[in-house]
């Protein structure tokens, strides 16, 4: 089952959507509400945004793996498998027969902040930020299309700062600036979650067009149309499009902003001058609150599933990988089966080098659930010897939003928490028949065990 657009996805969710009619301000109040609801794994639709009558804000769209499975139209227990299968496929985009996102057109708008409910997320954020804009551009050298999610700081009027720390868009800007030219961009807001997911998939320099990946993830081609003031294709069924140019050679302070790391971050960043805003008549504006389960889900699929695939191709016995929630994918736990300890050490070196962000890696046996912090801590306490089982790699590229390395060099660490030979490493257990009887007795009493 695929969803043609964000509305179709929201319409399919039924009780998974919490409708909020109370008036809420775009400054802090909506982010606070979304953060409170996030642990319940429900989507929120704010229907009364103060100062923006008729506009709704949808948030927590991927606040649980259950929602991510619904976005891909699969059962939750098949989420990662389905993601891997679909992510490897390609479905090319098609030309749209209708373009609802251009129902209303504002050319060179004087005040983008008056048109759109731009959210301020945290107490010390320097301004409102866009956190889930899918930024589209073309490489001025090759003409190749690229897209990614890039945070954007509203600077007033029709200017935004943009953090371009990741390829391919950071490379496209470098190529444009070498000729002293601006980089044309279109920012799609309110796309269906499978398309948002595709925009952050790691495809590498020679990788496929992410629109083809998006088509395959959604199970239907993306419908594209021409933007109005830049030479780019845009998803016709998005809710809002911001068109503009990244100004060559310009860097200005951007931030502070409460990042996906859970810490504030400031940068000298490029600046976009907006040339047009287009939107549906009664548009739904998307929200993604940093450092919440939404971000964990996006990273677990686009980053974690890909890293697991790469590692499984190179090391025998790798069975599972969990990016630790709340760490912006800086920490992970890998489970292995029958993997000798020298292979585990090789695995740690490989993983830490393959993924720029990964900084703290723990490897456990597959009798430990990598998603259960109690079990991982147990493996660290009983199977791990600090002097023998710690690997430190120094002189690595620090990830820009990691406050501990501030974008300069950093180090990485791996822990071998797998069992050495010998029975003393076995987890205690009970005879299965005794467990089954205990559960039957408790079920009779109406008492849920576990
Ligand atoms: C929620 C979220 C926010 C992101 N924000 C930014 C950002 O502000 N700037 C940036 O350069 N990349 C950002 N990224 C990463 C890119 O969108 C994208 O993941 C990256 O280009 C993929 O390539 P990589 O493997 O080089 O990271 C963000 C990713 C996610 C999931």
């Amino acid at each position: 089952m695929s969803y043609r657009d964000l509305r179709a996805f929201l319409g399919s969710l039924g009780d998974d959507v919490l409708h909020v009619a109370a008036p809420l301000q775009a400054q802090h109040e909506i982010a606070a509400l979304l953060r409170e609801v996030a642990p319940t794994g429900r989507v929120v639709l704010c229907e009364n945004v103060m100062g923006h009558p008729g506009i709704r804000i949808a948030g927590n769209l991927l606040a649980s793996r259950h929602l991510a499975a619904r976005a891909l139209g699969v059962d939750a227990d098949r989420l990662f498998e389905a993601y891997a299968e679909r992510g490897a496929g390609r479905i090319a985009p098609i030309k749209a027969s209708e373009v609802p996102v251009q129902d209303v057109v504002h050319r060179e708008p004087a005040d983008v902040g008056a048109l759109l409910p731009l959210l301020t997320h945290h107490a010390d954020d320097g301004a409102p930020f866009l956190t889930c804009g899918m930024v589209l551009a073309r490489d001025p050298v090759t003409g190749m299309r690229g897209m990614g999610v890039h945070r954007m700081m509203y600077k007033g009027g029709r200017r935004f700062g943009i953090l371009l720390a990741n390829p391919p868009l950071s490379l496209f800007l470098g190529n444009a600036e070498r000729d002293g030219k601006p980089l044309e961009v279109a920012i799609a807001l309110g796309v269906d979650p499978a398309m948002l997911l595709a925009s952050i998939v790691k495809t590498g320099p020679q990788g496929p067009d992410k629109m083809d990946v998006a088509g395959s993830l959604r199970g239907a081609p993306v419908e594209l149309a021409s933007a109005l003031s830049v030479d780019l294709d845009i998803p016709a069924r998005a809710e809002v499009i911001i068109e503009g140019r990244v100004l060559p050679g310009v860097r200005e302070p951007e931030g502070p902003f409460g990042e996906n790391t859970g810490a504030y971050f400031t940068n000298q960043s490029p600046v976009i001058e907006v040339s047009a805003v287009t939107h549906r008549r009664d548009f739904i504006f998307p929200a993604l609150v940093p450092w919440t389960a939404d971000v964990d889900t996006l990273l677990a699929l686009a980053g974690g599933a890909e890293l697991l695939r790469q590692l499984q191709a190179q090391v025998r016995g790798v069975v599972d990988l969990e990016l630790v929630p709340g760490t912006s994918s800086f920490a992970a736990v890998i489970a292995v089966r029958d993997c000798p300890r020298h292979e585990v050490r090789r695995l740690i070196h490989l993983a830490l080098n393959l993924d720029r962000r990964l900084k703290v890696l723990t490897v456990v046996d597959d009798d430990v659930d990598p998603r259960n912090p109690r079990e991982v801590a147990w493996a660290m306490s009983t199977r791990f010897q600090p002097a023998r089982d710690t690997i430190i790699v120094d002189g690595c590229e620090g990830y820009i939003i990691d406050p501990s390395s501030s974008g300069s060099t950093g180090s990485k660490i791996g822990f071998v928490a797998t069992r050495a030979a010998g029975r003393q490493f076995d987890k205690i257990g009970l005879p299965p028949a005794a467990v089954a009887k205990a559960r039957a007795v408790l079920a009779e009493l109406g008492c849920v065990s576990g």
Side-chain angles (χ1 to χ4, degrees):
M1 162 103 199
S2 67
Y3 300 101
R4 210 169 168 206
D5 52 24
L6 176 62
R7 288 164 187 236
F9 174 60
L10 289 170
S12 75
L13 290 177
D15 286 347
D16 279 333
V17 181
L18 181 70
H19 295 262
V20 179
L24 292 168
Q25 299 211 35
Q27 186 176 27
H28 300 142
E29 291 183 359
I30 289 178
L33 187 112
L34 293 175
R35 192 176 279 286
E36 289 296 314
V37 178
T40 70
R42 287 180 85 189
V43 168
V44 175
L45 200 57
C46 298
E47 297 175 337
N48 189 347
V49 184
M50 291 165 78
H52 296 273
I55 305 309
R56 290 167 292 167
I57 293 189
N60 296 358
L61 291 165
L62 289 171
S64 68
R65 290 183 183 183
H66 163 76
L67 288 172
R70 296 200 65 160
L72 295 189
V74 297
D75 289 340
D77 55 3
R78 278 206 70 243
L79 173 62
F80 284 84
E81 209 183 319
Y83 174 83
E85 280 165 22
R86 300 246 197 105
R90 309 282 173 258
I91 297 181
I94 54 170
K95 194 169 163 32
S97 54
E98 49 177 22
V99 192
V101 75
Q102 291 173 344
D103 278 352
V104 182
V105 176
H106 307 269
R107 288 185 188 267
E108 306 208 340
D111 183 3
V112 178
L115 299 178
L116 306 178
L118 305 171
L119 300 189
T120 305
H121 299 81
H122 310 108
D124 292 342
D125 282 1
F129 271 77
L130 288 173
T131 54
C132 53
M134 190 176 96
V135 186
L136 299 141
R138 277 189 185 281
D139 185 345
V141 174
T142 63
M144 187 188 108
R145 182 181 11 237
M147 59 198 207
V149 173
H150 295 265
R151 76 181 206 194
M152 292 172 51
M153 172 186 181
Y154 186 50
K155 292 176 161 250
R158 50 193 186 100
R159 296 178 102 232
F160 285 87
I162 179 166
L163 180 65
L164 286 174
N166 279 301
L169 267 60
S170 54
L171 303 177
F172 293 0
L173 179 62
N175 289 343
E177 286 185 323
R178 248 194 312 281
D179 291 337
K181 296 210 167 112
L183 179 73
E184 292 190 331
V185 288
I187 297 107
L189 292 150
V191 294
D192 66 275
M195 204 191 310
L196 187 69
L197 199 51
S199 72
I200 59 155
V201 165
K202 294 179 188 214
T203 49
Q206 308 302 326
D209 185 332
K210 288 187 186 177
M211 280 295 179
D212 295 1
V213 178
S216 181
L217 280 179
R218 310 161 80 226
V222 177
E223 297 168 53
L224 292 180
S226 299
L228 299 180
S229 63
V230 291
D231 184 17
L232 291 169
D233 289 335
I234 47 126
R237 305 196 68 83
E239 294 289 325
V240 177
I241 299 283
I242 300 175
E243 302 176 6
R245 290 169 183 79
V246 185
L247 306 175
V250 177
R251 298 292 182 275
E252 288 181 5
E254 180 245 336
F257 176 61
E259 258 293 351
N260 293 322
T261 56
Y264 288 99
F265 172 63
T266 302
N267 196 47
Q268 287 289 326
S269 297
V271 172
I272 295 176
E273 198 171 74
V274 174
S275 49
V277 172
T278 74
H279 57 78
R280 295 189 186 217
R281 223 154 251 119
D282 55 345
F283 65 88
I284 301 173
F285 202 67
L288 178 80
V289 182
W291 201 40
T292 59
D294 255 349
V295 178
D296 296 336
T297 310
L298 282 168
L299 293 173
L301 287 167
E306 175 59 16
L307 183 59
L308 177 61
R309 190 190 62 75
Q310 290 177 330
L311 294 171
Q312 284 178 324
Q314 303 203 40
V315 182
R316 199 153 0 115
V318 176
V319 293
D320 201 357
L321 182 149
E322 171 76 350
L323 294 179
V324 180
T327 68
S328 196
S329 72
F330 294 173
V333 182
I334 292 177
V336 294
R337 182 179 305 144
D338 298 332
C339 192
R341 298 189 118 228
H342 62 268
E343 275 295 278
V344 173
R345 295 181 80 85
R346 189 169 77 84
L347 170 67
I348 287 175
H349 283 286
L350 260 174
L352 292 177
N353 280 295
L354 270 173
D355 192 308
R356 288 192 300 149
R357 294 176 195 136
L358 184 59
K359 187 169 80 169
V360 182
L361 173 61
T362 307
V363 181
V364 296
D365 291 298
D366 69 338
D367 62 341
V368 171
D369 178 0
R371 273 163 270 285
N372 183 333
R374 187 175 191 273
E375 293 204 5
V376 175
W378 172 81
M380 283 295 286
S381 309
T382 57
R383 294 179 174 171
F384 165 78
Q385 263 299 311
R388 184 191 63 194
D389 296 328
T390 304
I391 294 168
I392 294 180
V393 186
D394 202 2
C396 308
E397 176 195 1
Y399 199 65
I400 185 166
I401 58 170
D402 175 358
S404 72
S405 67
S406 309
S408 59
T409 60
S411 54
K412 298 181 170 220
I413 195 162
F415 302 113
V416 183
T418 55
R419 57 157 81 77
R423 272 218 67 181
Q424 73 270 29
F425 291 102
D426 285 351
K427 213 192 223 176
I428 56 174
L430 283 153
V435 176
K437 182 167 178 184
R439 287 187 181 158
V441 169
L442 290 171
E444 280 284 305
L445 294 170
C447 173
V448 180
S449 58

PDB file of all heavy atoms in Angstrom, residues 21 36 40 47-48 50 58 68 125 128 142 157 212 242 244 246 255 279 326 361 406 412 420 427 436-437 449:
ATOM      1  N   ALA A  21      -7.343  20.661  19.286  1.00  0.00           N
ATOM      2  CA  ALA A  21      -8.082  21.857  18.865  1.00  0.00           C
ATOM      3  C   ALA A  21      -7.684  23.081  19.687  1.00  0.00           C
ATOM      4  O   ALA A  21      -8.009  24.212  19.309  1.00  0.00           O
ATOM      5  CB  ALA A  21      -9.583  21.602  19.006  1.00  0.00           C
ATOM      6  N   GLU A  36       5.816  16.040  24.404  1.00  0.00           N
ATOM      7  CA  GLU A  36       5.072  15.320  25.454  1.00  0.00           C
ATOM      8  C   GLU A  36       4.395  14.069  24.884  1.00  0.00           C
ATOM      9  O   GLU A  36       4.329  13.026  25.534  1.00  0.00           O
ATOM     10  CB  GLU A  36       3.995  16.222  26.072  1.00  0.00           C
ATOM     11  CG  GLU A  36       4.529  17.353  26.942  1.00  0.00           C
ATOM     12  CD  GLU A  36       5.258  16.860  28.177  1.00  0.00           C
ATOM     13  OE1 GLU A  36       4.745  15.973  28.862  1.00  0.00           O
ATOM     14  OE2 GLU A  36       6.376  17.369  28.438  1.00  0.00           O
ATOM     15  N   THR A  40       4.255   8.283  23.352  1.00  0.00           N
ATOM     16  CA  THR A  40       3.084   7.433  23.119  1.00  0.00           C
ATOM     17  C   THR A  40       3.049   6.913  21.682  1.00  0.00           C
ATOM     18  O   THR A  40       2.212   6.071  21.344  1.00  0.00           O
ATOM     19  CB  THR A  40       1.759   8.196  23.374  1.00  0.00           C
ATOM     20  OG1 THR A  40       1.600   9.177  22.333  1.00  0.00           O
ATOM     21  CG2 THR A  40       1.745   8.893  24.724  1.00  0.00           C
ATOM     22  N   GLU A  47      -4.681  21.760  15.196  1.00  0.00           N
ATOM     23  CA  GLU A  47      -5.678  22.309  14.268  1.00  0.00           C
ATOM     24  C   GLU A  47      -5.970  23.787  14.501  1.00  0.00           C
ATOM     25  O   GLU A  47      -6.782  24.376  13.803  1.00  0.00           O
ATOM     26  CB  GLU A  47      -6.971  21.480  14.385  1.00  0.00           C
ATOM     27  CG  GLU A  47      -6.703  20.038  13.961  1.00  0.00           C
ATOM     28  CD  GLU A  47      -7.867  19.076  14.144  1.00  0.00           C
ATOM     29  OE1 GLU A  47      -8.751  19.355  14.988  1.00  0.00           O
ATOM     30  OE2 GLU A  47      -7.876  18.048  13.462  1.00  0.00           O
ATOM     31  N   ASN A  48      -5.287  24.363  15.486  1.00  0.00           N
ATOM     32  CA  ASN A  48      -5.534  25.781  15.788  1.00  0.00           C
ATOM     33  C   ASN A  48      -4.190  26.449  16.109  1.00  0.00           C
ATOM     34  O   ASN A  48      -3.796  26.560  17.260  1.00  0.00           O
ATOM     35  CB  ASN A  48      -6.512  25.867  16.972  1.00  0.00           C
ATOM     36  CG  ASN A  48      -6.984  27.284  17.205  1.00  0.00           C
ATOM     37  OD1 ASN A  48      -6.436  28.241  16.661  1.00  0.00           O
ATOM     38  ND2 ASN A  48      -8.010  27.424  18.043  1.00  0.00           N
ATOM     39  N   MET A  50      -2.013  29.538  16.403  1.00  0.00           N
ATOM     40  CA  MET A  50      -2.302  30.967  16.620  1.00  0.00           C
ATOM     41  C   MET A  50      -1.584  31.828  15.567  1.00  0.00           C
ATOM     42  O   MET A  50      -0.396  31.645  15.302  1.00  0.00           O
ATOM     43  CB  MET A  50      -1.899  31.376  18.034  1.00  0.00           C
ATOM     44  CG  MET A  50      -2.805  30.727  19.073  1.00  0.00           C
ATOM     45  SD  MET A  50      -2.145  30.811  20.743  1.00  0.00           S
ATOM     46  CE  MET A  50      -2.542  32.496  21.160  1.00  0.00           C
ATOM     47  N   ALA A  58       1.279  19.062  11.403  1.00  0.00           N
ATOM     48  CA  ALA A  58       1.352  17.617  11.696  1.00  0.00           C
ATOM     49  C   ALA A  58       2.740  17.280  12.198  1.00  0.00           C
ATOM     50  O   ALA A  58       3.743  17.645  11.570  1.00  0.00           O
ATOM     51  CB  ALA A  58       1.042  16.814  10.436  1.00  0.00           C
ATOM     52  N   ALA A  68       6.326   3.948  11.235  1.00  0.00           N
ATOM     53  CA  ALA A  68       7.196   3.793  10.068  1.00  0.00           C
ATOM     54  C   ALA A  68       6.711   2.631   9.210  1.00  0.00           C
ATOM     55  O   ALA A  68       6.708   2.698   7.979  1.00  0.00           O
ATOM     56  CB  ALA A  68       8.640   3.565  10.509  1.00  0.00           C
ATOM     57  N   ASP A 125      16.900  28.496  21.497  1.00  0.00           N
ATOM     58  CA  ASP A 125      17.077  28.596  20.039  1.00  0.00           C
ATOM     59  C   ASP A 125      17.124  30.074  19.652  1.00  0.00           C
ATOM     60  O   ASP A 125      16.335  30.889  20.164  1.00  0.00           O
ATOM     61  CB  ASP A 125      15.916  27.918  19.302  1.00  0.00           C
ATOM     62  CG  ASP A 125      16.047  26.394  19.276  1.00  0.00           C
ATOM     63  OD1 ASP A 125      17.034  25.869  19.839  1.00  0.00           O
ATOM     64  OD2 ASP A 125      15.165  25.741  18.689  1.00  0.00           O
ATOM     65  N   PRO A 128      13.202  30.872  14.858  1.00  0.00           N
ATOM     66  CA  PRO A 128      12.451  29.709  14.367  1.00  0.00           C
ATOM     67  C   PRO A 128      13.313  28.925  13.373  1.00  0.00           C
ATOM     68  O   PRO A 128      14.097  29.519  12.623  1.00  0.00           O
ATOM     69  CB  PRO A 128      11.247  30.323  13.654  1.00  0.00           C
ATOM     70  CG  PRO A 128      11.188  31.740  14.111  1.00  0.00           C
ATOM     71  CD  PRO A 128      12.574  32.147  14.468  1.00  0.00           C
ATOM     72  N   THR A 142      27.530  18.280 -12.985  1.00  0.00           N
ATOM     73  CA  THR A 142      27.034  17.073 -13.664  1.00  0.00           C
ATOM     74  C   THR A 142      25.541  17.148 -13.988  1.00  0.00           C
ATOM     75  O   THR A 142      25.033  16.342 -14.772  1.00  0.00           O
ATOM     76  CB  THR A 142      27.224  15.839 -12.766  1.00  0.00           C
ATOM     77  OG1 THR A 142      26.422  16.020 -11.594  1.00  0.00           O
ATOM     78  CG2 THR A 142      28.686  15.655 -12.366  1.00  0.00           C
ATOM     79  N   GLY A 157      12.328  38.465   6.866  1.00  0.00           N
ATOM     80  CA  GLY A 157      12.138  38.780   5.439  1.00  0.00           C
ATOM     81  C   GLY A 157      12.062  37.521   4.610  1.00  0.00           C
ATOM     82  O   GLY A 157      11.244  36.638   4.861  1.00  0.00           O
ATOM     83  N   ASP A 212      14.372   8.038  -7.344  1.00  0.00           N
ATOM     84  CA  ASP A 212      14.098   6.648  -7.741  1.00  0.00           C
ATOM     85  C   ASP A 212      13.977   5.760  -6.502  1.00  0.00           C
ATOM     86  O   ASP A 212      13.158   4.842  -6.445  1.00  0.00           O
ATOM     87  CB  ASP A 212      15.229   6.101  -8.624  1.00  0.00           C
ATOM     88  CG  ASP A 212      15.342   6.839  -9.956  1.00  0.00           C
ATOM     89  OD1 ASP A 212      14.564   7.777 -10.181  1.00  0.00           O
ATOM     90  OD2 ASP A 212      16.215   6.457 -10.755  1.00  0.00           O
ATOM     91  N   ILE A 242       9.354  25.943  -0.856  1.00  0.00           N
ATOM     92  CA  ILE A 242      10.084  27.215  -0.793  1.00  0.00           C
ATOM     93  C   ILE A 242      11.155  27.141  -1.882  1.00  0.00           C
ATOM     94  O   ILE A 242      11.944  26.194  -1.908  1.00  0.00           O
ATOM     95  CB  ILE A 242      10.758  27.413   0.587  1.00  0.00           C
ATOM     96  CG1 ILE A 242       9.706  27.426   1.705  1.00  0.00           C
ATOM     97  CG2 ILE A 242      11.574  28.699   0.610  1.00  0.00           C
ATOM     98  CD1 ILE A 242      10.304  27.499   3.115  1.00  0.00           C
ATOM     99  N   GLY A 244      14.420  29.078  -3.923  1.00  0.00           N
ATOM    100  CA  GLY A 244      15.373  30.165  -3.674  1.00  0.00           C
ATOM    101  C   GLY A 244      16.765  29.823  -4.150  1.00  0.00           C
ATOM    102  O   GLY A 244      16.990  28.832  -4.848  1.00  0.00           O
ATOM    103  N   VAL A 246      20.988  29.703  -2.846  1.00  0.00           N
ATOM    104  CA  VAL A 246      22.013  29.821  -1.812  1.00  0.00           C
ATOM    105  C   VAL A 246      23.047  30.806  -2.365  1.00  0.00           C
ATOM    106  O   VAL A 246      23.592  30.601  -3.464  1.00  0.00           O
ATOM    107  CB  VAL A 246      22.676  28.456  -1.504  1.00  0.00           C
ATOM    108  CG1 VAL A 246      23.659  28.600  -0.345  1.00  0.00           C
ATOM    109  CG2 VAL A 246      21.628  27.389  -1.191  1.00  0.00           C
ATOM    110  N   GLY A 255      22.177  29.680  14.307  1.00  0.00           N
ATOM    111  CA  GLY A 255      22.020  29.065  15.616  1.00  0.00           C
ATOM    112  C   GLY A 255      21.997  30.166  16.676  1.00  0.00           C
ATOM    113  O   GLY A 255      21.935  31.344  16.325  1.00  0.00           O
ATOM    114  N   HIS A 279       2.032  26.882  -2.158  1.00  0.00           N
ATOM    115  CA  HIS A 279       1.439  25.907  -1.239  1.00  0.00           C
ATOM    116  C   HIS A 279       0.026  25.526  -1.643  1.00  0.00           C
ATOM    117  O   HIS A 279      -0.606  26.190  -2.474  1.00  0.00           O
ATOM    118  CB  HIS A 279       1.471  26.417   0.209  1.00  0.00           C
ATOM    119  CG  HIS A 279       0.794  27.730   0.438  1.00  0.00           C
ATOM    120  ND1 HIS A 279      -0.562  27.866   0.531  1.00  0.00           N
ATOM    121  CD2 HIS A 279       1.307  28.987   0.617  1.00  0.00           C
ATOM    122  CE1 HIS A 279      -0.863  29.140   0.764  1.00  0.00           C
ATOM    123  NE2 HIS A 279       0.254  29.842   0.805  1.00  0.00           N
ATOM    124  N   GLY A 326      18.244   8.425  20.812  1.00  0.00           N
ATOM    125  CA  GLY A 326      18.652   9.648  21.512  1.00  0.00           C
ATOM    126  C   GLY A 326      20.109  10.016  21.328  1.00  0.00           C
ATOM    127  O   GLY A 326      20.561  11.019  21.882  1.00  0.00           O
ATOM    128  N   LEU A 361      30.695   2.009  20.041  1.00  0.00           N
ATOM    129  CA  LEU A 361      30.090   0.772  19.545  1.00  0.00           C
ATOM    130  C   LEU A 361      30.303  -0.365  20.534  1.00  0.00           C
ATOM    131  O   LEU A 361      31.434  -0.614  20.976  1.00  0.00           O
ATOM    132  CB  LEU A 361      30.732   0.396  18.191  1.00  0.00           C
ATOM    133  CG  LEU A 361      30.331  -0.962  17.606  1.00  0.00           C
ATOM    134  CD1 LEU A 361      28.822  -1.025  17.346  1.00  0.00           C
ATOM    135  CD2 LEU A 361      31.077  -1.229  16.303  1.00  0.00           C
ATOM    136  N   SER A 406      33.389  19.261  18.252  1.00  0.00           N
ATOM    137  CA  SER A 406      33.191  20.572  17.618  1.00  0.00           C
ATOM    138  C   SER A 406      33.683  20.604  16.182  1.00  0.00           C
ATOM    139  O   SER A 406      34.268  21.585  15.731  1.00  0.00           O
ATOM    140  CB  SER A 406      33.910  21.672  18.396  1.00  0.00           C
ATOM    141  OG  SER A 406      33.577  21.596  19.734  1.00  0.00           O
ATOM    142  N   LYS A 412      37.146   7.439  18.602  1.00  0.00           N
ATOM    143  CA  LYS A 412      36.010   6.512  18.629  1.00  0.00           C
ATOM    144  C   LYS A 412      36.372   5.342  19.518  1.00  0.00           C
ATOM    145  O   LYS A 412      37.559   5.048  19.698  1.00  0.00           O
ATOM    146  CB  LYS A 412      35.728   6.007  17.213  1.00  0.00           C
ATOM    147  CG  LYS A 412      35.334   7.127  16.250  1.00  0.00           C
ATOM    148  CD  LYS A 412      35.039   6.603  14.865  1.00  0.00           C
ATOM    149  CE  LYS A 412      34.428   7.712  14.018  1.00  0.00           C
ATOM    150  NZ  LYS A 412      33.351   7.241  13.163  1.00  0.00           N
ATOM    151  N   ALA A 420      33.816 -14.941  26.042  1.00  0.00           N
ATOM    152  CA  ALA A 420      34.982 -15.761  25.715  1.00  0.00           C
ATOM    153  C   ALA A 420      34.541 -17.206  25.956  1.00  0.00           C
ATOM    154  O   ALA A 420      33.444 -17.456  26.452  1.00  0.00           O
ATOM    155  CB  ALA A 420      36.149 -15.375  26.612  1.00  0.00           C
ATOM    156  N   LYS A 427      24.183 -17.120  30.253  1.00  0.00           N
ATOM    157  CA  LYS A 427      23.130 -16.398  30.969  1.00  0.00           C
ATOM    158  C   LYS A 427      22.333 -17.413  31.784  1.00  0.00           C
ATOM    159  O   LYS A 427      22.060 -18.509  31.274  1.00  0.00           O
ATOM    160  CB  LYS A 427      22.209 -15.802  29.928  1.00  0.00           C
ATOM    161  CG  LYS A 427      21.574 -14.500  30.260  1.00  0.00           C
ATOM    162  CD  LYS A 427      20.484 -14.290  29.214  1.00  0.00           C
ATOM    163  CE  LYS A 427      20.436 -12.919  28.683  1.00  0.00           C
ATOM    164  NZ  LYS A 427      19.431 -12.796  27.625  1.00  0.00           N
ATOM    165  N   ALA A 436       6.809 -22.358  31.328  1.00  0.00           N
ATOM    166  CA  ALA A 436       5.494 -22.508  30.699  1.00  0.00           C
ATOM    167  C   ALA A 436       4.422 -22.716  31.760  1.00  0.00           C
ATOM    168  O   ALA A 436       3.329 -22.131  31.697  1.00  0.00           O
ATOM    169  CB  ALA A 436       5.517 -23.682  29.718  1.00  0.00           C
ATOM    170  N   LYS A 437       4.725 -23.520  32.792  1.00  0.00           N
ATOM    171  CA  LYS A 437       3.732 -23.774  33.848  1.00  0.00           C
ATOM    172  C   LYS A 437       3.444 -22.492  34.628  1.00  0.00           C
ATOM    173  O   LYS A 437       2.290 -22.155  34.912  1.00  0.00           O
ATOM    174  CB  LYS A 437       4.223 -24.878  34.784  1.00  0.00           C
ATOM    175  CG  LYS A 437       3.194 -25.208  35.850  1.00  0.00           C
ATOM    176  CD  LYS A 437       3.495 -26.481  36.586  1.00  0.00           C
ATOM    177  CE  LYS A 437       2.436 -26.697  37.668  1.00  0.00           C
ATOM    178  NZ  LYS A 437       2.718 -27.857  38.485  1.00  0.00           N
ATOM    179  N   SER A 449       2.380 -11.873  32.899  1.00  0.00           N
ATOM    180  CA  SER A 449       3.762 -12.004  33.376  1.00  0.00           C
ATOM    181  C   SER A 449       4.720 -11.245  32.471  1.00  0.00           C
ATOM    182  O   SER A 449       4.361 -10.769  31.419  1.00  0.00           O
ATOM    183  CB  SER A 449       4.155 -13.492  33.406  1.00  0.00           C
ATOM    184  OG  SER A 449       4.005 -14.030  32.115  1.00  0.00           O
TER     185      SER A 449
END
